[in-house]
Coordinates of all heavy atoms in Angstrom, one line a residue:
M1 N 100.0 -142.2 28.6 CA 99.3 -142.0 27.3 C 99.7 -140.6 26.8 O 99.6 -139.7 27.5 CB 97.8 -142.1 27.5 CG 97.1 -142.7 26.4 SD 95.3 -142.7 26.6 CE 95.1 -144.3 27.4
S2 N 100.1 -140.5 25.6 CA 100.4 -139.2 25.0 C 99.3 -138.4 24.6 O 98.1 -139.0 24.5 CB 101.3 -139.4 23.8 OG 100.6 -139.9 22.7
D3 N 99.4 -137.1 24.4 CA 98.3 -136.3 24.0 C 97.7 -136.8 22.6 O 96.5 -136.7 22.5 CB 98.8 -134.8 23.8 CG 99.0 -134.2 25.1 OD1 98.5 -134.7 26.1 OD2 99.8 -133.1 25.2
K4 N 98.5 -137.3 21.8 CA 97.9 -137.8 20.5 C 97.1 -139.0 20.7 O 96.1 -139.1 20.0 CB 99.1 -138.2 19.6 CG 99.8 -137.0 18.9 CD 100.8 -137.4 17.9 CE 101.4 -136.1 17.2 NZ 102.1 -136.4 16.0
T5 N 97.3 -139.8 21.6 CA 96.5 -141.0 21.9 C 95.2 -140.6 22.6 O 94.2 -141.3 22.5 CB 97.2 -142.1 22.5 OG1 97.8 -141.7 23.8 CG2 98.2 -142.7 21.7
M6 N 95.3 -139.5 23.4 CA 94.1 -139.1 24.2 C 93.1 -138.4 23.3 O 91.9 -138.6 23.4 CB 94.5 -138.1 25.3 CG 94.9 -138.7 26.6 SD 93.7 -139.8 27.2 CE 92.9 -138.6 28.3
Q7 N 93.5 -137.7 22.3 CA 92.6 -136.9 21.4 C 91.5 -137.8 20.8 O 90.3 -137.4 20.9 CB 93.3 -136.2 20.3 CG 94.1 -135.0 20.8 CD 93.2 -133.9 21.4 OE1 91.9 -134.0 21.3 NE2 93.7 -132.9 21.9
P8 N 91.8 -138.9 20.2 CA 90.7 -139.7 19.6 C 89.7 -140.2 20.6 O 88.5 -140.4 20.3 CB 91.4 -140.8 18.9 CG 92.8 -140.5 18.7 CD 93.1 -139.5 19.8
M9 N 90.1 -140.4 21.8 CA 89.2 -140.9 22.9 C 88.2 -139.8 23.3 O 87.1 -140.1 23.6 CB 90.0 -141.3 24.1 CG 90.7 -142.6 23.9 SD 91.5 -143.1 25.4 CE 90.3 -143.1 26.6
L10 N 88.6 -138.6 23.2 CA 87.7 -137.5 23.6 C 86.6 -137.2 22.7 O 86.9 -137.2 21.5 CB 88.5 -136.2 23.8 CG 89.5 -136.2 25.0 CD1 90.3 -134.9 24.9 CD2 88.7 -136.3 26.3
L11 N 85.4 -137.1 23.2 CA 84.3 -136.8 22.4 C 84.5 -135.4 21.9 O 85.0 -134.5 22.6 CB 83.0 -136.9 23.2 CG 81.7 -136.5 22.5 CD1 81.4 -137.5 21.5 CD2 80.6 -136.5 23.6
R12 N 84.0 -135.1 20.7 CA 84.1 -133.7 20.2 C 83.2 -133.0 21.2 O 81.9 -133.1 21.0 CB 83.7 -133.6 18.8 CG 84.5 -134.3 17.8 CD 84.1 -133.9 16.4 NE 84.5 -134.9 15.4 CZ 85.6 -135.4 15.2 NH1 86.7 -135.2 15.9 NH2 85.9 -136.2 14.1
T13 N 83.7 -132.1 22.0 CA 82.9 -131.5 23.1 C 82.3 -130.2 22.6 O 81.9 -129.4 23.5 CB 83.8 -131.2 24.3 OG1 85.0 -130.6 23.9 CG2 84.3 -132.6 24.9
S14 N 82.2 -130.0 21.3 CA 81.6 -128.7 20.9 C 80.1 -128.7 21.3 O 79.5 -127.6 21.5 CB 81.7 -128.6 19.4 OG 81.0 -129.6 18.8
K15 N 79.5 -129.8 21.6 CA 78.1 -129.8 22.1 C 77.9 -129.5 23.5 O 76.9 -129.1 24.0 CB 77.4 -131.2 21.8 CG 77.2 -131.6 20.4 CD 76.5 -132.9 20.3 CE 76.3 -133.3 18.9 NZ 75.7 -134.6 18.7
I16 N 79.1 -129.6 24.3 CA 79.0 -129.3 25.7 C 79.3 -127.8 25.9 O 80.3 -127.3 25.4 CB 80.0 -130.1 26.5 CG1 79.8 -131.6 26.3 CG2 80.0 -129.8 27.9 CD1 80.8 -132.6 26.9
R17 N 78.4 -127.1 26.5 CA 78.6 -125.7 26.8 C 78.8 -125.5 28.3 O 78.0 -126.0 29.1 CB 77.4 -124.9 26.3 CG 77.1 -125.0 24.8 CD 78.1 -124.4 24.0 NE 77.8 -124.4 22.6 CZ 78.6 -124.9 21.7 NH1 79.8 -125.2 22.1 NH2 78.3 -125.0 20.4
Y18 N 79.8 -124.9 28.7 CA 80.2 -124.7 30.0 C 79.5 -123.5 30.7 O 79.5 -123.3 31.9 CB 81.7 -124.7 30.3 CG 82.3 -126.1 29.9 CD1 82.9 -126.2 28.6 CD2 82.3 -127.1 30.7 CE1 83.4 -127.4 28.3 CE2 82.8 -128.3 30.4 CZ 83.4 -128.4 29.2 OH 83.9 -129.6 28.8
H19 N 78.9 -122.7 29.9 CA 78.4 -121.4 30.4 C 76.8 -121.4 30.5 O 76.2 -120.6 31.0 CB 78.8 -120.2 29.5 CG 78.3 -120.3 28.1 ND1 78.9 -121.2 27.2 CD2 77.3 -119.8 27.5 CE1 78.3 -121.0 26.0 NE2 77.3 -120.2 26.2
R20 N 76.2 -122.5 30.1 CA 74.8 -122.6 30.2 C 74.4 -124.1 30.3 O 75.3 -125.0 30.0 CB 74.0 -122.0 29.1 CG 74.3 -122.6 27.7 CD 73.5 -121.9 26.6 NE 73.9 -122.2 25.3 CZ 73.4 -123.4 24.7 NH1 72.7 -124.2 25.2 NH2 73.9 -123.7 23.5
A21 N 73.3 -124.4 30.8 CA 72.8 -125.8 30.9 C 72.7 -126.6 29.6 O 72.4 -126.0 28.6 CB 71.5 -125.9 31.6
C22 N 73.1 -127.8 29.6 CA 73.0 -128.7 28.5 C 71.5 -129.2 28.5 O 71.0 -129.7 29.5 CB 73.9 -129.8 28.7 SG 73.9 -131.1 27.4
D23 N 70.8 -129.0 27.4 CA 69.4 -129.5 27.3 C 69.4 -131.0 27.3 O 70.3 -131.7 27.0 CB 68.5 -128.8 26.2 CG 69.1 -129.2 24.8 OD1 69.6 -130.3 24.6 OD2 69.0 -128.3 23.9
Y24 N 68.2 -131.5 27.6 CA 68.1 -133.0 27.7 C 68.4 -133.7 26.4 O 69.0 -134.7 26.3 CB 66.6 -133.3 28.2 CG 66.5 -134.8 28.5 CD1 66.9 -135.4 29.6 CD2 65.8 -135.6 27.4 CE1 66.8 -136.7 29.8 CE2 65.7 -137.0 27.7 CZ 66.1 -137.5 28.9 OH 66.0 -138.9 29.1
R25 N 67.9 -133.2 25.3 CA 68.1 -133.8 23.9 C 69.6 -133.9 23.6 O 70.1 -134.9 23.3 CB 67.4 -133.0 22.8 CG 67.6 -133.7 21.5 CD 66.9 -132.8 20.4 NE 67.2 -131.4 20.3 CZ 68.4 -131.0 19.7 NH1 69.1 -131.9 19.2 NH2 68.6 -129.8 19.8
T26 N 70.3 -132.8 23.9 CA 71.8 -132.7 23.7 C 72.5 -133.7 24.6 O 73.4 -134.5 24.2 CB 72.4 -131.3 23.9 OG1 71.7 -130.5 23.0 CG2 73.8 -131.3 23.5
L27 N 72.1 -133.8 25.9 CA 72.7 -134.7 26.8 C 72.6 -136.1 26.4 O 73.5 -136.9 26.4 CB 72.0 -134.5 28.2 CG 72.4 -135.6 29.2 CD1 73.8 -135.4 29.7 CD2 71.5 -135.5 30.4
T28 N 71.4 -136.6 25.9 CA 71.1 -137.9 25.5 C 71.9 -138.2 24.2 O 72.4 -139.4 24.0 CB 69.6 -138.2 25.3 OG1 69.1 -137.3 24.4 CG2 68.9 -138.2 26.6
E29 N 72.0 -137.2 23.3 CA 72.9 -137.4 22.1 C 74.4 -137.7 22.4 O 75.0 -138.6 22.0 CB 72.8 -136.3 21.2 CG 71.5 -136.1 20.4 CD 71.5 -134.8 19.6 OE1 72.5 -134.0 19.5 OE2 70.4 -134.4 19.1
I30 N 74.9 -136.9 23.4 CA 76.2 -137.0 23.8 C 76.4 -138.4 24.5 O 77.5 -139.1 24.2 CB 76.7 -135.9 24.8 CG1 76.7 -134.6 24.0 CG2 78.0 -136.2 25.4 CD1 76.8 -133.3 24.8
L31 N 75.6 -138.8 25.4 CA 75.6 -140.1 26.0 C 75.6 -141.2 25.0 O 76.3 -142.2 25.2 CB 74.6 -140.2 27.1 CG 74.8 -139.3 28.3 CD1 73.6 -139.5 29.4 CD2 76.1 -139.5 29.1
G32 N 74.7 -141.1 24.1 CA 74.7 -142.1 23.0 C 76.0 -142.2 22.2 O 76.4 -143.3 21.9
E33 N 76.6 -141.1 21.9 CA 77.9 -141.1 21.1 C 78.9 -141.7 22.0 O 79.8 -142.5 21.5 CB 78.3 -139.7 20.8 CG 77.4 -139.1 19.7 CD 77.7 -137.6 19.3 OE1 78.9 -137.3 19.6 OE2 76.8 -136.9 18.9
L34 N 79.0 -141.4 23.2 CA 80.1 -141.9 24.1 C 79.8 -143.5 24.3 O 80.8 -144.2 24.3 CB 79.9 -141.3 25.5 CG 80.4 -139.9 25.6 CD1 80.0 -139.3 27.0 CD2 81.9 -139.8 25.5
A35 N 78.6 -144.0 24.4 CA 78.4 -145.4 24.5 C 78.9 -146.1 23.3 O 79.3 -147.3 23.4 CB 76.9 -145.7 24.8
V36 N 78.7 -145.5 22.1 CA 79.1 -146.1 20.9 C 80.7 -146.2 20.8 O 81.3 -147.2 20.4 CB 78.5 -145.4 19.6 CG1 79.3 -145.9 18.4 CG2 77.1 -145.6 19.5
R37 N 81.3 -145.1 21.2 CA 82.8 -145.0 21.2 C 83.5 -145.9 22.2 O 84.6 -146.3 22.0 CB 83.3 -143.5 21.4 CG 83.0 -142.7 20.3 CD 83.4 -141.2 20.6 NE 83.2 -140.4 19.5 CZ 84.2 -139.8 18.9 NH1 85.4 -139.9 19.3 NH2 84.0 -139.0 17.8
H38 N 82.9 -146.0 23.4 CA 83.5 -146.7 24.5 C 82.7 -147.9 24.9 O 81.8 -147.8 25.6 CB 83.7 -145.7 25.7 CG 84.4 -144.6 25.3 ND1 85.9 -144.4 25.1 CD2 84.1 -143.2 25.2 CE1 86.2 -143.3 24.8 NE2 85.1 -142.5 24.8
P39 N 83.2 -149.1 24.5 CA 82.5 -150.3 24.9 C 82.4 -150.6 26.4 O 81.4 -151.3 26.8 CB 83.2 -151.5 24.2 CG 84.2 -150.8 23.3 CD 84.4 -149.4 23.7
S40 N 83.3 -150.0 27.2 CA 83.2 -150.3 28.7 C 82.2 -149.3 29.3 O 82.0 -149.4 30.5 CB 84.6 -150.1 29.2 OG 85.0 -148.8 29.0
L41 N 81.6 -148.4 28.5 CA 80.7 -147.5 29.1 C 79.2 -148.0 28.7 O 78.9 -148.3 27.6 CB 80.9 -146.1 28.5 CG 80.2 -145.0 29.0 CD1 81.1 -143.7 29.1 CD2 79.0 -144.6 28.2
E42 N 78.4 -148.0 29.8 CA 77.0 -148.4 29.5 C 76.1 -147.3 30.0 O 76.3 -146.8 31.1 CB 76.8 -149.7 30.4 CG 75.4 -150.2 30.2 CD 75.1 -151.4 31.2 OE1 76.1 -152.0 31.6 OE2 74.0 -151.6 31.5
V43 N 75.1 -146.9 29.2 CA 74.1 -145.9 29.5 C 72.8 -146.7 29.8 O 72.3 -147.4 28.9 CB 74.0 -144.9 28.4 CG1 72.9 -143.9 28.8 CG2 75.3 -144.2 28.1
S44 N 72.3 -146.5 31.0 CA 71.0 -147.2 31.3 C 70.1 -146.1 32.0 O 70.4 -144.9 32.0 CB 71.3 -148.3 32.3 OG 71.9 -147.9 33.5
G45 N 69.0 -146.5 32.6 CA 68.1 -145.6 33.2 C 67.9 -145.9 34.6 O 68.0 -147.1 35.1
L46 N 67.6 -144.9 35.4 CA 67.4 -145.0 36.8 C 65.9 -145.0 37.2 O 65.5 -145.3 38.2 CB 68.1 -143.9 37.6 CG 68.0 -143.8 39.0 CD1 68.6 -145.0 39.7 CD2 68.7 -142.5 39.6
G47 N 65.1 -144.4 36.3 CA 63.7 -144.2 36.5 C 63.3 -143.0 35.6 O 64.0 -142.7 34.6
T48 N 62.1 -142.3 36.0 CA 61.8 -141.1 35.2 C 61.7 -139.9 36.1 O 61.5 -140.0 37.3 CB 60.4 -141.4 34.6 OG1 59.5 -141.8 35.5 CG2 60.5 -142.5 33.5
S49 N 61.9 -138.8 35.4 CA 61.9 -137.5 36.1 C 60.3 -137.1 36.3 O 59.5 -137.7 35.7 CB 62.6 -136.4 35.4 OG 62.0 -136.0 34.2
V50 N 60.2 -136.0 36.9 CA 58.9 -135.4 37.0 C 58.4 -135.0 35.8 O 57.1 -134.9 35.5 CB 58.8 -134.1 38.0 CG1 57.8 -134.2 39.0 CG2 60.1 -133.7 38.5
L51 N 59.2 -134.7 34.8 CA 58.7 -134.4 33.4 C 58.6 -135.7 32.6 O 58.5 -135.6 31.4 CB 59.8 -133.4 32.7 CG 60.0 -132.1 33.4 CD1 61.1 -131.4 32.7 CD2 58.7 -131.3 33.4
D52 N 58.6 -136.8 33.2 CA 58.5 -138.1 32.5 C 59.5 -138.5 31.5 O 59.3 -139.1 30.6 CB 57.1 -138.2 31.9 CG 56.6 -139.6 31.8 OD1 56.9 -140.5 32.7 OD2 55.8 -139.9 30.9
R53 N 60.7 -138.0 31.9 CA 61.8 -138.4 30.9 C 62.8 -139.4 31.7 O 62.9 -139.2 32.8 CB 62.7 -137.0 30.6 CG 62.0 -136.0 29.8 CD 62.9 -135.0 29.3 NE 62.7 -133.8 30.1 CZ 63.3 -132.7 30.0 NH1 64.1 -132.5 29.0 NH2 63.0 -131.6 30.8
P54 N 63.3 -140.2 30.9 CA 64.3 -141.2 31.6 C 65.4 -140.5 32.2 O 66.0 -139.5 31.6 CB 64.7 -142.1 30.4 CG 63.7 -141.9 29.4 CD 63.2 -140.5 29.5
I55 N 65.8 -140.9 33.4 CA 67.0 -140.4 34.1 C 68.2 -141.3 33.7 O 68.2 -142.5 34.1 CB 66.8 -140.4 35.6 CG1 65.6 -139.4 36.0 CG2 68.1 -139.9 36.3 CD1 65.2 -139.6 37.4
P56 N 69.2 -140.7 32.9 CA 70.3 -141.5 32.5 C 71.3 -141.8 33.6 O 71.5 -141.0 34.5 CB 70.9 -140.7 31.4 CG 70.5 -139.3 31.6 CD 69.2 -139.3 32.4
V57 N 71.8 -143.1 33.6 CA 72.9 -143.5 34.4 C 74.0 -144.0 33.6 O 73.8 -144.8 32.6 CB 72.4 -144.6 35.4 CG1 73.5 -145.2 36.2 CG2 71.3 -144.1 36.3
V58 N 75.2 -143.6 33.8 CA 76.4 -144.0 33.1 C 77.2 -144.9 34.0 O 77.6 -144.4 35.1 CB 77.2 -142.8 32.6 CG1 78.5 -143.3 31.9 CG2 76.3 -141.9 31.7
T59 N 77.5 -146.1 33.5 CA 78.4 -147.0 34.3 C 79.7 -147.3 33.4 O 79.6 -147.5 32.3 CB 77.6 -148.3 34.5 OG1 76.4 -148.1 35.1 CG2 78.5 -149.3 35.4
I60 N 80.8 -147.1 34.1 CA 82.1 -147.3 33.4 C 82.8 -148.5 34.0 O 83.0 -148.6 35.2 CB 83.0 -146.0 33.6 CG1 82.3 -144.8 33.1 CG2 84.3 -146.3 32.9 CD1 83.0 -143.5 33.4
G61 N 83.0 -149.5 33.1 CA 83.7 -150.7 33.6 C 82.6 -151.7 34.1 O 81.5 -151.4 34.5
R62 N 83.1 -153.0 34.1 CA 82.2 -154.0 34.5 C 82.8 -155.0 35.4 O 82.3 -156.1 35.5 CB 81.8 -154.8 33.2 CG 81.0 -153.9 32.3 CD 80.4 -154.7 31.1 NE 79.5 -153.9 30.3 CZ 79.8 -153.2 29.2 NH1 81.1 -153.2 28.9 NH2 79.0 -152.6 28.6
D63 N 83.8 -154.6 36.1 CA 84.4 -155.5 37.1 C 83.6 -155.5 38.4 O 83.6 -154.5 39.1 CB 85.9 -155.0 37.4 CG 86.6 -156.0 38.3 OD1 86.0 -157.0 38.7 OD2 87.8 -155.6 38.7
P64 N 83.0 -156.7 38.7 CA 82.1 -156.8 39.9 C 82.9 -156.7 41.1 O 82.3 -156.5 42.3 CB 81.4 -158.2 39.8 CG 82.3 -158.9 38.8 CD 83.0 -157.9 38.0
H65 N 84.2 -156.9 41.1 CA 85.0 -156.9 42.3 C 85.7 -155.6 42.6 O 86.4 -155.3 43.6 CB 86.1 -157.9 42.2 CG 85.6 -159.4 41.9 ND1 84.9 -160.1 42.8 CD2 85.7 -160.1 40.8 CE1 84.6 -161.2 42.3 NE2 84.9 -161.3 41.1
S66 N 85.5 -154.6 41.7 CA 86.0 -153.3 42.0 C 85.1 -152.4 42.8 O 83.9 -152.7 42.9 CB 86.4 -152.6 40.6 OG 85.2 -152.3 39.9
R67 N 85.6 -151.3 43.3 CA 84.8 -150.4 44.1 C 84.0 -149.6 43.3 O 84.4 -149.3 42.1 CB 85.7 -149.6 45.1 CG 86.3 -150.4 46.1 CD 87.2 -149.6 47.0 NE 87.8 -150.4 48.0 CZ 87.7 -150.1 49.3 NH1 87.0 -149.1 49.8 NH2 88.3 -151.0 50.2
S68 N 82.9 -149.1 43.7 CA 82.1 -148.2 43.0 C 82.1 -146.8 43.5 O 82.3 -146.6 44.7 CB 80.6 -148.6 43.1 OG 80.5 -149.9 42.4
I69 N 82.0 -145.7 42.6 CA 82.0 -144.3 43.0 C 80.7 -143.8 42.3 O 80.5 -144.0 41.1 CB 83.2 -143.6 42.6 CG1 84.4 -144.2 43.2 CG2 83.1 -142.2 42.9 CD1 85.7 -143.6 42.7
L70 N 80.0 -143.0 43.1 CA 78.8 -142.4 42.4 C 79.0 -141.0 42.3 O 79.4 -140.2 43.3 CB 77.6 -142.6 43.4 CG 76.3 -141.9 43.0 CD1 75.7 -142.5 41.7 CD2 75.3 -142.0 44.1
Y71 N 78.8 -140.4 41.1 CA 78.9 -139.0 40.8 C 77.5 -138.5 40.4 O 76.9 -139.2 39.6 CB 79.8 -138.6 39.7 CG 81.3 -138.9 40.0 CD1 81.9 -140.1 39.6 CD2 82.0 -138.0 40.8 CE1 83.2 -140.3 39.8 CE2 83.4 -138.2 41.1 CZ 84.0 -139.4 40.5 OH 85.3 -139.6 40.9
L72 N 77.0 -137.5 40.9 CA 75.6 -136.9 40.6 C 75.8 -135.5 39.9 O 76.7 -134.8 40.4 CB 74.8 -136.7 41.8 CG 74.4 -138.0 42.6 CD1 73.6 -137.7 43.8 CD2 73.5 -138.9 41.7
G73 N 75.0 -135.3 38.9 CA 75.1 -134.0 38.3 C 73.8 -133.6 37.7 O 73.0 -134.4 37.3
G74 N 73.4 -132.4 37.8 CA 72.2 -131.9 37.1 C 71.0 -132.1 38.0 O 69.9 -132.2 37.4
I75 N 71.1 -132.2 39.2 CA 69.9 -132.6 40.1 C 69.1 -131.3 40.4 O 68.0 -131.4 40.8 CB 70.4 -133.3 41.4 CG1 71.3 -132.4 42.2 CG2 71.0 -134.6 41.1 CD1 71.6 -132.9 43.6
H76 N 69.7 -130.1 40.0 CA 68.9 -128.9 40.2 C 68.9 -128.2 38.9 O 69.8 -128.2 38.1 CB 69.6 -128.0 41.2 CG 69.6 -128.6 42.6 ND1 68.5 -128.7 43.3 CD2 70.6 -129.0 43.4 CE1 68.8 -129.4 44.5 NE2 70.1 -129.5 44.6
P77 N 67.8 -127.5 38.5 CA 67.7 -126.8 37.1 C 68.8 -125.9 36.9 O 69.2 -125.6 35.7 CB 66.4 -126.2 37.2 CG 65.5 -126.9 38.2 CD 66.6 -127.3 39.2
T78 N 69.3 -125.2 37.9 CA 70.3 -124.2 37.7 C 71.8 -124.8 37.8 O 72.7 -124.0 37.8 CB 70.3 -123.1 38.8 OG1 70.3 -123.6 40.1 CG2 69.0 -122.4 38.6
D79 N 71.9 -126.1 37.9 CA 73.3 -126.7 38.0 C 73.8 -126.9 36.6 O 73.5 -127.8 35.8 CB 73.1 -128.1 38.6 CG 74.4 -128.8 38.8 OD1 75.4 -128.3 38.5 OD2 74.4 -130.0 39.2
V80 N 74.6 -125.9 36.2 CA 75.2 -125.8 34.8 C 76.4 -126.6 34.8 O 76.7 -127.3 33.8 CB 75.3 -124.4 34.5 CG1 75.9 -124.2 33.0 CG2 74.0 -123.6 34.5
M81 N 77.3 -126.4 35.7 CA 78.7 -126.9 35.6 C 78.8 -128.4 35.8 O 79.6 -129.0 35.1 CB 79.6 -126.2 36.6 CG 81.0 -126.4 36.3 SD 81.6 -126.1 34.7 CE 82.0 -124.4 34.7
T82 N 78.2 -129.0 36.9 CA 78.4 -130.3 37.2 C 78.1 -131.3 36.0 O 79.0 -132.1 35.7 CB 77.6 -130.8 38.4 OG1 77.8 -129.8 39.4 CG2 78.1 -132.1 38.9
P83 N 77.0 -131.2 35.3 CA 76.7 -132.1 34.1 C 77.9 -132.0 33.1 O 78.3 -132.9 32.5 CB 75.4 -131.7 33.5 CG 74.7 -131.0 34.7 CD 75.8 -130.3 35.5
A84 N 78.3 -130.7 32.8 CA 79.4 -130.5 31.8 C 80.7 -131.1 32.2 O 81.4 -131.8 31.4 CB 79.5 -129.0 31.5
V85 N 81.1 -131.0 33.5 CA 82.3 -131.6 34.0 C 82.3 -133.1 34.0 O 83.2 -133.7 33.6 CB 82.6 -131.1 35.4 CG1 83.7 -131.8 36.1 CG2 82.9 -129.5 35.4
L86 N 81.1 -133.6 34.4 CA 80.9 -135.2 34.3 C 81.0 -135.6 32.9 O 81.6 -136.7 32.6 CB 79.6 -135.5 35.1 CG 79.6 -135.3 36.6 CD1 78.3 -135.7 37.2 CD2 80.8 -136.1 37.2
L87 N 80.4 -134.9 32.0 CA 80.4 -135.4 30.6 C 81.9 -135.3 30.1 O 82.3 -136.3 29.4 CB 79.6 -134.5 29.7 CG 78.0 -134.8 29.8 CD1 77.3 -133.7 29.0 CD2 77.7 -136.2 29.3
R88 N 82.6 -134.3 30.5 CA 84.0 -134.2 30.1 C 84.8 -135.3 30.7 O 85.7 -135.9 30.1 CB 84.6 -132.8 30.5 CG 85.9 -132.6 30.1 CD 86.2 -132.6 28.7 NE 87.5 -132.3 28.3 CZ 88.0 -131.8 27.2 NH1 87.2 -131.6 26.3 NH2 89.2 -131.6 27.0
F89 N 84.5 -135.6 32.0 CA 85.3 -136.7 32.7 C 84.9 -138.0 32.0 O 85.9 -138.8 31.8 CB 84.7 -136.8 34.2 CG 85.3 -137.9 34.9 CD1 86.6 -138.0 35.4 CD2 84.4 -139.0 35.3 CE1 87.0 -139.0 36.1 CE2 84.9 -140.0 36.0 CZ 86.2 -140.0 36.4
V90 N 83.7 -138.3 31.7 CA 83.4 -139.6 31.0 C 84.0 -139.7 29.6 O 84.4 -140.8 29.2 CB 81.9 -139.7 31.0 CG1 81.4 -140.9 30.1 CG2 81.3 -139.9 32.3
S91 N 84.1 -138.5 28.9 CA 84.6 -138.6 27.5 C 86.1 -138.8 27.6 O 86.7 -139.2 26.6 CB 84.2 -137.4 26.7 OG 84.8 -136.2 27.2

């Protein structure tokens, strides 16, 4: 894939800040935009946090015969980089 064909697939990452944590509202907005742009991406919930907010889960692809890989990000309040990197990876 050339750089020109990759650009439209990438989410405008101006909302993703790599030097500070992404707040919950921004995270859900970004995940919603990604789900609209990529039909093979599904955003669902895993349960609720201690703050009673839904914990988002992103699934890419729907092949039941393929292997699964689990990536976790943002499990600690000071985890700034992992959520941003995973959002970039997904976009």
Side-chain angles (χ1 to χ4, degrees):
M1 218 183 267
S2 73
D3 286 340
K4 284 188 176 193
T5 56
M6 274 303 268
Q7 284 298 354
M9 286 180 55
L10 292 175
L11 177 68
R12 296 190 205 307
T13 56
S14 61
K15 290 182 181 179
I16 301 172
R17 302 287 182 235
Y18 296 97
H19 61 282
R20 64 180 168 81
C22 180
D23 64 33
Y24 185 78
R25 183 181 54 81
T26 304
L27 172 70
T28 55
E29 285 176 9
I30 293 169
L31 291 177
E33 289 175 26
L34 286 169
V36 168
R37 286 178 177 242
H38 304 288
S40 65
L41 188 141
E42 178 184 341
V43 179
S44 60
L46 178 66
T48 55
S49 71
V50 232
L51 298 174
D52 203 34
R53 292 189 260 188
I55 301 170
V57 174
V58 177
T59 306
I60 303 171
R62 294 187 175 91
D63 183 0
H65 303 292
S66 66
R67 293 180 182 236
S68 298
I69 299 173
L70 174 65
Y71 293 101
L72 297 173
I75 58 174
H76 299 290
T78 58
D79 184 3
V80 177
M81 188 53 85
T82 311
V85 170
L86 290 176
L87 285 171
R88 180 64 179 201
F89 173 74
V90 169
S91 71

